[in-house]
Amino acid sequence: MALKDVWFSPAFGEAFPKGLFLLGEIAAVTEFSTDRNAPKRQKVDLDNEGNGTGKRLWKGTVTDPTAMGAKNASFDVVFVADVQPVPAVGEVVPGMTPIELEGLQVKPKVAGSGEYKSIGWNVRATGIKGDTSGAKQAPADPGAVRQAKAA
């Protein structure tokens, strides 16, 4: 089937009408190595044939306030970005930060095993709205290297 590797791009408000909350921190996705003493290497967005963006992968766990049932309440979002995304606002309660994803993409997958299978979703994004880490725009503090614009 040709739709096997297709990512769909819904609008954030359609997919998550009440938004999302980031649980904890966003961390680098590391490659698996059978050598436990080998240094950890961060995964990049490339498949076995070399297709993809080549950008680094980051992962954060989020919760959806509109999800029905505990099974669907939280899931991981993979961020495809050169720089680790940083939420623009602070925590509303300890460990929970409201976020809005930019460049949202979803792909269906089979979840569960045996006779208890259901449809799940792979979710990825290019960043977080309002992020000033440099992932989507120049950093908030350009430093002394760049000259300020003349007024």
Side-chain angles (χ1 to χ4, degrees):
M1 175 179 248
L3 293 175
K4 179 176 95 172
D5 293 321
V6 174
W7 287 89
F8 299 96
S9 301
F12 180 80
E14 289 178 12
F16 307 106
K18 291 188 179 178
L20 290 175
F21 290 93
L22 177 66
L23 303 175
E25 302 288 324
I26 295 173
V29 177
T30 56
E31 293 181 353
F32 174 77
S33 174
T34 55
D35 181 4
R36 295 177 6 178
N37 297 324
K40 302 264 188 232
R41 291 182 36 193
Q42 187 170 3
K43 277 189 171 184
V44 294
D45 182 35
L46 291 173
D47 62 11
N48 293 338
E49 289 84 39
N51 298 322
T53 64
K55 294 180 183 266
R56 299 193 300 176
L57 299 178
W58 310 86
K59 182 168 62 171
T61 302
V62 298
T63 186
D64 179 3
T66 61
M68 302 299 270
K71 180 172 77 170
N72 301 320
S74 66
F75 53 91
D76 289 335
V77 173
V78 174
F79 294 93
V80 181
D82 289 325
V83 181
Q84 179 179 2
V86 177
V89 298
E91 297 177 331
V92 290
V93 295
M96 291 185 75
T97 307
I99 61 170
E100 182 175 337
L101 302 176
E102 289 185 334
L104 173 65
Q105 292 185 317
V106 296
K107 180 168 72 168
K109 66 178 180 179
V110 176
S113 62
E115 60 187 78
Y116 301 103
K117 292 180 183 172
S118 62
I119 295 177
W121 298 92
N122 288 320
V123 181
R124 70 181 187 181
T126 57
I128 298 173
K129 187 173 184 178
D131 178 10
T132 58
S133 69
K136 299 298 291 177
Q137 60 189 11
D141 180 12
V145 177
R146 288 189 234 149
Q147 295 181 356
K149 291 182 182 178

